[in-house]
Amino acid sequence: MATIPIVVKHQGNKYNIEVDPDSTGDVFKYQLYSLTGVEPERQKILVKGGQVKDDVQMSTFDFKSGQSIMMLGTPGKDAKEISRPKEKIKFVEDMTEAEAAQQEGATPAGLTNLGNTCYLNSTLQTLRAIPELQNALVKYDPQSASTAGVIPQLDLTRQLRDLYKYMSETQEAFVPHAFLTSLRTAFPQFAERSRTGQGYAQQDAEEAWSQIVTQLRQKLHVKENAPESPQDSFIDRYMSGEFTSELECDEPAAKEGGEKPIASKETFLKLNCHIDGTTNHLRDGIANGLSEKLEKRSEILGRDAVYTKTSKISRLPKYLTVHFVRFFWKRETQKKAKIMRKVTFPHELDLVEFCDDKLKGMLVPVRDKVREVRKDEEDIERARKRRKRNAAGEDADDIPGGKGAKSDKKDDAKKPSTSADGDVEMGETYKTDAEIDAERDAALLEAKKELHALINPDLAKDDGANQSGLYELRGVVTHQGASADSGHYTAYVKKTAPTDVKTGKRKDEDGKWWWFNDDKVSEVTSDKIEALAGGGESHSALILLYRAIPLPSSEGTIE
């Protein structure tokens, strides 16, 4: 709808304003604020039939071209004088391609399919969802990574660094030819030719993920802020966990003969979700993977016997990879066949039950406090919404003190009465909504500080570990088809919240996801993720990337 020119009179001045009938009153007030310096909450705009309210549609006033209205109000004491921006405003059409790609709302770059390379594209897009990985790659120095004598084209970590850099500078699809060449040189299995025709064969995305992570584990290192601190492998710090395992013979005769269980520790880079006829949820598959049978020689029995290996988690990484073991070797077809069974998975994953007693003791107090704080936040937000609806005259029947219930204020707001000794008894005092909100916010901030204090000191020192046992889903690699060597792979990555340029803090996430289908990138809602549980040849989750939930700092704030 076309804008309507009107005149606003204020303190002897006249301001010509274009009114958009589709906008609301608060937008109109900000227009006047930019001209008069009077804050929106201090404005009183008089129109025929009443005043302009924040949530009213401007079309309801039926303004005529050239119509005059009046505004009352003066700037507050703390109002700052409106001035021109110190930095020149730069419009998107004037930006370079790299600058435009960094703006809020920019679409991330896709990757061109170079012939059955969707397995690689989906893997690269999901790994790119780890900001710490991108930061570490920027600082990667081939000279200090034991790559002396290795030509740049064969340095997989260097090629990944350059690839992510190029992808960050465009919104167009990028051709990952250099990285693909490096991968095929380092791991010839990915250079296998197709048996059915020209070109290269389709590969397993999980194998590509594992090989890339293995290379990064060897080459990419990070160090603490202290100059004398030793370097750690990036993967070991942020993406690897630890099992504490116990191996025990199933036969009672071995135990009676004095055979002791064998305890061991081992590192893991992913948790496997084993799928059988009873697996319906990710938790079931993880539990299956933490207990396994194997056959080995028993010295006590003097022969081979069946042993049970039971594992508990003794370290949880900040970024957890979960692999759905959907593919198995089918001898008849000489292919990796796919298990189609539907297995659901959560957006928030709690792994505390799978941890050993020591780690569990560290995590449970923090996890429980997190849930307590969340409930407080939900209660406060719910109360604010109720008050807002009540103020607008909506749903009053459902609100204590509304139309359907007696008001507490009527009983409380008694007139002062005189006691037997002649003293005046004062009635109850009332708090404003602002005071109530301030008290609740202060209590919530204190609860967040208490939450930080509950973090175990040993875990607090390990910035690459999960300190609560809770994870949030950040990425999914999916597969469509009946076997690993055919079909199609794509990736879903949760959108990160943009950073406020004024405060430097991150805004709230909108809950949406990017779907990377090779060079095609589109925005989807979270219900698309719910549909990736499997149950047929349609897209089903193969790899999940979880991140430890963020916890508040000692000041009670979350970065």
Side-chain angles (χ1 to χ4, degrees):
M1 192 178 293
T3 58
I4 303 169
I6 67 169
V7 178
V8 178
K9 298 177 181 178
H10 177 251
Q11 294 185 345
N13 296 316
K14 293 183 179 180
Y15 298 97
N16 296 311
I17 293 183
E18 296 284 335
V19 177
D20 181 359
D22 293 330
S23 66
T24 55
D26 58 344
V27 174
F28 182 60
K29 287 183 178 182
Y30 273 102
Q31 285 181 274
L32 290 173
Y33 173 47
S34 68
L35 295 171
T36 65
V38 180
E39 298 90 331
E41 64 272 14
R42 297 178 62 86
Q43 296 176 16
K44 189 174 183 180
I45 305 167
L46 305 178
V47 295
K48 187 177 180 179
Q51 298 180 29
V52 176
K53 302 293 185 182
D54 288 352
D55 56 354
V56 70
Q57 284 287 124
M58 296 304 291
S59 59
T60 60
F61 299 113
D62 195 22
F63 288 126
K64 302 293 187 288
S65 179
Q67 180 178 339
S68 295
I69 62 174
M70 181 175 289
M71 185 190 90
L72 304 177
T74 56
K77 293 181 181 180
D78 298 328
K80 296 180 180 179
E81 183 180 349
I82 300 176
S83 59
R84 290 181 178 274
K86 294 181 180 179
E87 295 183 10
K88 185 179 178 181
I89 297 175
K90 198 168 190 179
F91 296 97
V92 174
E93 53 266 30
D94 298 325
M95 295 179 181
T96 64
E97 185 179 9
E99 289 173 333
Q102 301 295 327
Q103 300 306 303
E104 182 177 336
T107 301
L111 290 169
T112 302
N113 191 319
L114 298 175
N116 283 335
T117 58
C118 55
Y119 71 92
L120 178 62
N121 292 346
S122 56
T123 296
L124 293 170
Q125 293 287 14
T126 308
L127 284 171
R128 191 170 176 239
I130 304 175
E132 291 89 345
L133 174 58
Q134 295 196 55
N135 293 337
L137 285 169
V138 168
K139 301 172 185 176
Y140 173 68
D141 180 10
Q143 298 302 318
S144 61
S146 302
T147 56
V150 178
I151 60 175
Q153 292 82 353
L154 302 184
D155 184 352
L156 199 68
T157 305
R158 179 173 183 164
Q159 292 300 328
L160 186 62
R161 178 197 68 185
D162 294 346
L163 173 64
Y164 283 167
K165 176 180 181 295
Y166 297 142
M167 291 175 68
S168 70
E169 296 173 348
T170 183
Q171 297 183 72
E172 302 298 324
F174 188 80
V175 182
H177 190 274
F179 184 86
L180 179 61
T181 301
S182 182
L183 179 72
R184 285 173 172 166
T185 304
F187 305 103
Q189 70 193 81
F190 298 109
E192 181 187 351
R193 308 295 294 191
S194 173
R195 300 176 187 175
T196 58
Q198 300 296 318
Y200 291 92
Q202 178 68 284
Q203 299 289 338
D204 186 344
E206 189 276 328
E207 290 182 3
W209 179 289
S210 296
Q211 297 290 25
I212 292 171
V213 168
T214 299
Q215 277 286 296
L216 292 175
R217 190 181 186 196
Q218 296 172 3
K219 303 296 183 183
L220 188 62
H221 294 85
V222 289
K223 64 185 302 181
E224 302 290 348
N225 295 328
E228 66 278 1
S229 60
Q231 286 191 335
D232 296 331
S233 161
F234 173 87
I235 299 299
D236 285 342
R237 179 181 294 186
Y238 290 104
M239 298 182 70
S240 71
E242 183 184 69
F243 284 136
T244 297
S245 302
E246 192 173 82
L247 186 66
E248 186 173 16
C249 185
D250 289 359
E251 298 187 30
K255 188 174 183 180
E256 293 166 1
E259 185 169 302
K260 302 292 184 183
I262 302 171
S264 62
K265 288 184 179 292
E266 56 186 292
T267 298
F268 68 86
L269 300 180
K270 64 178 183 290
L271 286 182
N272 286 322
C273 174
H274 290 275
I275 304 173
D276 59 25
T278 62
T279 308
N280 297 311
H281 188 268
L282 175 61
R283 184 209 163 277
D284 305 328
I286 292 176
N288 290 342
L290 294 179
S291 179
E292 59 179 312
K293 299 285 185 181
L294 55 90
E295 191 172 313
K296 66 181 288 290
R297 179 174 176 78
S298 168
E299 296 301 330
I300 296 295
L301 300 177
R303 56 178 170 79
D304 288 349
V306 176
Y307 284 73
T308 297
K309 182 179 181 182
T310 306
S311 299
K312 294 282 188 180
I313 299 171
S314 49
R315 182 188 189 264
L316 283 171
K318 183 173 183 177
Y319 289 91
L320 176 74
T321 303
V322 177
H323 170 221
F324 287 94
V325 187
R326 287 195 175 275
F327 299 125
F328 66 97
W329 184 253
K330 199 168 185 179
R331 189 176 301 172
E332 305 86 71
T333 60
Q334 292 291 294
K335 285 184 178 181
K336 286 183 180 179
K338 183 177 180 181
I339 300 172
M340 304 292 186
R341 186 176 181 81
K342 180 178 181 180
V343 181
T344 59
F345 53 90
H347 283 266
E348 182 170 283
L349 178 65
D350 181 356
L351 285 183
V352 171
E353 66 172 301
F354 300 115
C355 298
D356 65 13
D357 291 340
K358 181 181 177 182
L359 182 57
K360 195 180 293 185
M362 298 178 185
L363 299 176
V364 167
V366 180
R367 180 200 63 182
D368 293 348
K369 189 67 175 179
V370 165
R371 290 172 174 168
E372 181 184 319
V373 169
R374 284 178 178 174
K375 184 178 183 302
D376 291 343
E377 288 176 325
E378 290 169 1
D379 290 344
I380 290 173
E381 185 60 27
R382 198 178 296 118
R384 283 175 178 161
K385 288 180 178 178
R386 277 202 302 265
R387 288 203 308 273
K388 189 174 181 180
R389 289 199 302 268
N390 194 27
E394 300 173 10
D395 301 332
D397 291 341
D398 300 328
I399 303 166
K403 295 177 182 176
K406 290 183 178 180
S407 171
D408 295 333
K409 292 186 178 181
K410 185 176 181 180
D411 294 331
D412 296 335
K414 296 176 180 178
K415 294 181 179 179
S417 59
T418 305
S419 64
D421 58 5
D423 292 335
V424 176
E425 295 179 348
M426 301 303 294
E428 292 189 26
T429 57
Y430 297 94
K431 294 177 181 177
T432 64
D433 288 348
E435 289 173 328
I436 293 172
D437 284 344
E439 286 184 3
R440 287 174 172 172
D441 288 341
L444 185 61
L445 182 63
E446 193 61 34
K448 289 181 178 179
K449 291 180 180 179
E450 292 172 8
L451 169 57
H452 177 81
L454 288 172
I455 300 173
N456 183 276
D458 291 335
L459 283 180
K461 294 176 186 175
D462 188 354
D463 70 331
N466 185 320
Q467 299 166 345
S468 69
L470 298 175
Y471 286 95
E472 57 182 358
L473 186 64
R474 302 306 300 183
V476 185
V477 175
T478 71
H479 178 265
Q480 178 186 35
S483 73
D485 305 326
S486 62
H488 185 55
Y489 293 91
T490 67
Y492 291 83
V493 173
K494 193 168 189 181
K495 290 178 62 180
T496 55
T499 302
D500 190 310
V501 292
K502 293 182 179 179
T503 64
K505 296 182 179 179
R506 285 206 175 272
K507 301 178 183 178
D508 293 333
E509 293 186 343
D510 61 10
K512 294 182 179 178
W513 292 66
W514 292 117
W515 181 28
F516 295 96
N517 186 3
D518 288 330
D519 57 333
K520 301 179 185 67
V521 181
S522 53
E523 186 182 82
V524 298
T525 53
S526 60
D527 59 319
K528 284 284 187 181
I529 309 303
E530 314 289 344
L532 301 175
E537 291 190 20
S538 60
H539 281 287
S540 54
L542 179 68
I543 299 172
L544 304 178
L545 178 66
Y546 281 98
R547 181 182 69 188
I549 64 164
L551 297 177
S553 66
S554 57
E555 289 78 32
T557 58
I558 295 179
E559 296 299 329

